[in-house]
Amino acid sequence: MIVGVIGGGQLARMLALAGMPWAHRFRFLDPAADACAGQVGTLVTAAYDCERSLLEFAAQADVVTFDFENVPARSLEFLAGRVAVYPGARALAAAQNRLHEKALFRDLGMATAEFVAVEHAQALPAAVAELGLPAVLKTRTHGYDGKGQWLLRSAADVTAAGRELGRTPALLERLIAFEREVSLIAARGRDGAMAFYPLSENVHRDGMLHTSVCRNRDPLQDRAEAQVQRLLEALDYVGVLAVEFFDCGGELLANEFAPRVHNSGHWTIEGAETSQFENHLRAILGLPLGSTRARGDYAMVNLIGAIPEPAQVLAIPGAHLHDYGKARRPGRKVGHITVACAEPGVLPPELLAL
Amino acid sequence: MIVGVIGGGQLARMLALAGMPWAHRFRFLDPAADACAGQVGTLVTAAYDCERSLLEFAAQADVVTFDFENVPARSLEFLAGRVAVYPGARALAAAQNRLHEKALFRDLGMATAEFVAVEHAQALPAAVAELGLPAVLKTRTHGYDGKGQWLLRSAADVTAAGRELGRTPALLERLIAFEREVSLIAARGRDGAMAFYPLSENVHRDGMLHTSVCRNRDPLQDRAEAQVQRLLEALDYVGVLAVEFFDCGGELLANEFAPRVHNSGHWTIEGAETSQFENHLRAILGLPLGSTRARGDYAMVNLIGAIPEPAQVLAIPGAHLHDYGKARRPGRKVGHITVACAEPGVLPPELLAL
């Protein structure tokens, strides 16, 4: 079987590593000639919207998926009918527009932070007057890892953000004072069967995910699952999907969803009976989903910009190193470490000292 | 880092899959142009003893290992000094000659079945007279998966086996009535640190391994470890090694060792905190060994000649499928299934019914 992945980053790479034990081969389409998934499969260098390349790509794959939510939904629409594509263009499109995403959450009875549409910079003052400060201004599209976001605390922030925003459509959200951010990784098969991992509790630094800790038996697990189940069914979703929530005193506010495997689920590679990557493949290939049970109190630490000395990492009991084979650059996710914690959520001090 | 593996079978393939999360790349040298490891790395098609190919191979690798005990030990000797080679030629040579292997066991105080050297067919009757029947005649070299062995129960068997043996040097062993066959997979690092997996209990069918069951807290574990520790140290071994023992009423008789990762350790991929493949890489790369603790009561079933329908396999709770990407042929190991057992050693009935 040949699996085509649009996007050739670390998610595509780890997806391929999950599928290689089944003797599947992987092809990746990515505009970057050095996309790191190319080290573990065949890399086709092309723009995400190059129809000729997409056609060729579809002809050489049995099923197509993607690893990046900013792949144009139109590219998936173009492929649909030519090859099996999971998740579908509709799910991807819903995730690409933060206003549609929030509206979908609301329609499904999923609580969110209060928000107001902002058509362009000129509409910003009225939106601020309506919601009050502090608030977060977000572009509707092309945001990830904190990009396309402005935290507004003062009138000066509003003016500065408005200047940067210009004519870009956006939305304004009330800033939420949350106790913690959690994410639920879920999988839905072609037959509609669903599976949910234990909640991940996530800590960000400088707008990027820093650590994810698996929370077995979290009191909010059932509520999160009920909500994500509605989302999966509404989108007729096939594959793995992640929803980020704010936990505000036990109330869950849905923040965003990613129509793909997710950084906060990387602990599942060693820490769950079936990894999120394997379950994404099982889903899109029409195979039964695997158990999402955690094997213990696992946690993950992202490696940003650099990889510590492997000997130091691997000397930590229960630590597993993942190096994505990417050129090291400040602010770039280049790897992660998974570790089994002796106590839930307590990372080994040697790991934090790396 | 580029890891060169002499031999490109499924063991090399799974070794590469274990190292790809560290962004290592793999090159394989194998005489077969369709060697299955070539699907996950660069395959160099050459005879194991082609010095020109070995030189080129060494020049393009940071470290060299092998996946097959019948790689000529001379090839490793030739490479030594040109590139780091683990395990070394001496360990490989010791495993390649069944008489030397048994003598080494005896020298290390490891009990074995009684045996007698047989220089060629003409010496066989005297050996049979000495040991008695039933006995097993084995060629000294090039045996694996039951090849090069004759079970002798009668004078007619002796005559027939002698005719087939001809001038090939062999040894005759007393046939052991054992309760079970167990194997101990062990790893030794470049720094001399050692780690031992829980014993695997192995069942053969038609001379090939059929199932291996991980035996946590086996009463013979400590005794097996003490013996294998002596072997690892005597060979100044670096890498993963497997020793097969017969359990005769609680007495361990060492049967043979494989200077490599071993089929009876495939359950460690999902079933141990660190797989035998990752630990082999850790050892030969000079990294700290990882925990060999089992994550539960795991078992492995070999897939010989054919792969069942993946959907049927993956519907079994806790089952993981490994397809080596090899052409299906009767009697050929083409994959395996790992499964977590609800009770130690009790395989799910759905799995046995496949």
Side-chain angles (χ1 to χ4, degrees):
Chain A
M1 193 86 85
I2 296 174
V3 179
V5 187
I6 306 181
Q10 64 265 25
L11 300 181
R13 180 188 173 105
M14 288 185 273
L15 195 65
L17 294 184
M20 287 158 80
W22 296 346
H24 294 327
R25 309 212 189 188
F26 288 76
R27 296 175 62 87
F28 311 99
L29 186 147
D30 197 292
D34 66 345
C36 71
Q39 295 164 24
V40 302
T42 305
L43 178 64
V44 177
T45 308
Y48 291 136
D49 58 357
C50 169
E51 293 195 349
R52 202 183 131 200
S53 300
L54 286 167
L55 271 184
E56 272 183 33
F57 193 68
Q60 294 182 303
D62 297 294
V63 60
V64 168
T65 187
F66 53 88
D67 90 329
F68 184 46
E69 65 272 38
N70 289 330
V71 167
R74 282 187 56 178
S75 295
L76 295 197
E77 280 162 23
F78 175 76
L79 288 178
R82 294 184 159 93
V83 65
V85 182
Y86 301 108
R90 191 160 66 93
L92 176 59
Q96 282 178 337
N97 186 304
R98 284 184 170 128
L99 189 63
H100 296 173
E101 184 185 37
K102 283 281 191 313
L104 175 63
F105 286 156
R106 204 171 42 189
D107 292 348
L108 294 170
M110 297 165 71
T112 67
E114 268 183 89
F115 63 93
V116 178
V118 176
E119 293 307 319
H120 44 66
Q122 287 174 329
L124 183 56
V128 169
E130 186 177 339
L131 272 193
L133 292 183
V136 185
L137 179 68
K138 297 178 176 178
T139 58
R140 292 188 197 164
T141 58
H142 295 291
Y144 69 95
D145 282 346
K147 294 182 174 72
Q149 300 200 14
W150 296 265
L151 174 59
L152 311 182
R153 295 196 178 273
S154 66
D157 289 345
V158 175
T159 310
R163 206 175 299 127
E164 287 188 48
L165 184 66
R167 303 201 56 78
T168 311
L171 75 164
L172 189 71
E173 285 181 19
R174 191 186 293 283
L175 181 69
I176 296 297
F178 56 84
E179 267 103 78
R180 51 181 195 145
E181 192 211 279
V182 294
S183 55
L184 186 68
I185 316 277
R188 185 167 179 272
R190 272 154 60 172
D191 60 355
M194 283 176 276
F196 304 89
Y197 288 93
L199 282 170
S200 297
E201 187 176 316
N202 307 320
V203 175
H204 288 75
R205 266 194 205 167
D206 306 323
M208 288 179 93
L209 183 63
H210 177 56
T211 58
S212 286
V213 167
C214 150
R215 287 290 181 192
N216 291 297
R217 295 169 299 279
D218 193 280
L220 297 180
Q221 181 79 30
D222 291 349
R223 232 174 305 160
E225 285 189 14
Q227 295 191 22
V228 174
Q229 181 169 338
R230 292 203 295 277
L231 179 65
L232 290 168
E233 286 174 341
L235 295 169
D236 193 17
Y237 195 87
V238 173
V240 162
L241 168 147
V243 182
E244 291 180 14
F245 294 97
F246 298 129
D247 171 4
C248 305
E251 193 197 1
L252 281 176
L253 297 185
N255 183 39
E256 61 181 48
F257 78 93
R260 52 168 171 79
V261 289
H262 195 255
N263 196 165
S264 67
H266 289 358
W267 63 264
T268 63
I269 297 178
E270 290 90 7
E273 282 185 6
T274 313
S275 79
Q276 64 168 347
F277 299 98
E278 180 171 338
N279 259 336
H280 185 70
L281 290 175
R282 288 187 186 222
I284 68 173
L285 294 171
L287 296 167
L289 299 179
S291 164
T292 50
R293 205 175 64 85
R295 291 168 149 157
D297 291 304
Y298 275 81
M300 183 227 54
V301 178
N302 266 341
L303 299 173
I304 314 285
I307 303 272
E309 202 48 59
Q312 283 191 307
V313 176
L314 298 176
I316 300 170
H320 291 270
L321 175 65
H322 296 260
D323 179 336
Y324 306 149
K326 291 162 77 171
R328 282 57 163 144
R329 275 207 297 271
R332 195 179 203 202
K333 290 177 184 173
V334 293
H336 75 266
I337 297 169
T338 311
V339 74
C341 304
E343 277 180 76
V346 180
L347 291 164
E350 315 93 283
L351 179 56
L352 298 170
L354 278 178
Chain B
M1 193 85 86
I2 297 175
V3 179
V5 187
I6 305 181
Q10 64 265 24
L11 301 181
R13 181 188 171 105
M14 288 185 271
L15 195 66
L17 294 183
M20 288 159 80
W22 296 345
H24 295 325
R25 309 212 189 187
F26 288 77
R27 296 175 63 85
F28 312 98
L29 186 147
D30 198 292
D34 66 344
C36 70
Q39 295 165 23
V40 303
T42 305
L43 178 64
V44 177
T45 308
Y48 292 135
D49 58 357
C50 169
E51 293 195 352
R52 205 182 128 199
S53 301
L54 287 167
L55 271 184
E56 272 182 34
F57 193 67
Q60 293 182 306
D62 296 295
V63 61
V64 167
T65 187
F66 54 89
D67 91 327
F68 184 45
E69 65 271 37
N70 290 330
V71 167
R74 281 186 60 172
S75 296
L76 296 199
E77 279 162 23
F78 175 75
L79 288 178
R82 295 183 158 93
V83 65
V85 182
Y86 300 109
R90 191 160 66 95
L92 176 58
Q96 282 178 338
N97 185 304
R98 283 181 171 131
L99 189 62
H100 296 173
E101 185 185 35
K102 282 281 191 316
L104 175 62
F105 286 156
R106 203 172 42 185
D107 291 347
L108 293 171
M110 297 166 71
T112 67
E114 268 183 88
F115 63 93
V116 177
V118 176
E119 293 307 319
H120 44 66
Q122 287 175 327
L124 183 56
V128 170
E130 186 178 339
L131 272 192
L133 291 183
V136 185
L137 179 68
K138 298 179 177 179
T139 58
R140 293 191 197 164
T141 58
H142 296 290
Y144 68 97
D145 283 348
K147 294 180 174 72
Q149 299 198 13
W150 296 265
L151 175 59
L152 312 182
R153 294 193 178 276
S154 65
D157 290 343
V158 175
T159 310
R163 207 176 298 126
E164 286 186 51
L165 183 67
R167 302 201 56 78
T168 310
L171 74 165
L172 188 71
E173 286 181 18
R174 191 185 293 283
L175 181 68
I176 297 297
F178 56 85
E179 267 103 78
R180 51 181 194 146
E181 193 212 279
V182 295
S183 55
L184 186 67
I185 316 276
R188 185 167 178 270
R190 272 154 59 171
D191 61 354
M194 285 176 272
F196 304 89
Y197 288 93
L199 282 169
S200 297
E201 187 175 316
N202 308 319
V203 175
H204 288 75
R205 267 195 204 165
D206 305 322
M208 287 179 94
L209 183 64
H210 177 56
T211 58
S212 285
V213 167
C214 150
R215 286 292 180 190
N216 292 297
R217 294 170 298 280
D218 192 281
L220 297 181
Q221 181 78 30
D222 291 348
R223 231 174 308 162
E225 285 189 14
Q227 294 192 21
V228 173
Q229 180 170 336
R230 291 202 295 276
L231 179 64
L232 289 169
E233 287 175 340
L235 296 169
D236 194 16
Y237 196 85
V238 173
V240 162
L241 168 148
V243 182
E244 292 180 15
F245 294 97
F246 298 129
D247 171 4
C248 304
E251 192 198 1
L252 282 176
L253 297 185
N255 184 38
E256 61 180 47
F257 80 92
R260 52 164 171 80
V261 289
H262 195 255
N263 195 164
S264 68
H266 289 358
W267 62 265
T268 63
I269 297 178
E270 291 89 7
E273 283 185 5
T274 313
S275 78
Q276 63 167 347
F277 299 99
E278 181 173 336
N279 259 336
H280 185 70
L281 290 175
R282 289 188 185 220
I284 68 173
L285 295 171
L287 296 167
L289 299 179
S291 164
T292 49
R293 204 175 64 84
R295 290 166 147 158
D297 290 305
Y298 276 81
M300 183 227 53
V301 178
N302 266 341
L303 300 173
I304 313 285
I307 302 273
E309 201 50 59
Q312 282 192 308
V313 176
L314 298 175
I316 300 170
H320 292 270
L321 176 64
H322 295 259
D323 179 335
Y324 306 149
K326 291 162 77 171
R328 282 56 163 144
R329 277 208 296 270
R332 194 181 203 200
K333 292 177 182 172
V334 293
H336 74 266
I337 297 170
T338 311
V339 73
C341 305
E343 276 180 76
V346 181
L347 291 164
E350 314 95 283
L351 180 56
L352 297 171
L354 279 177

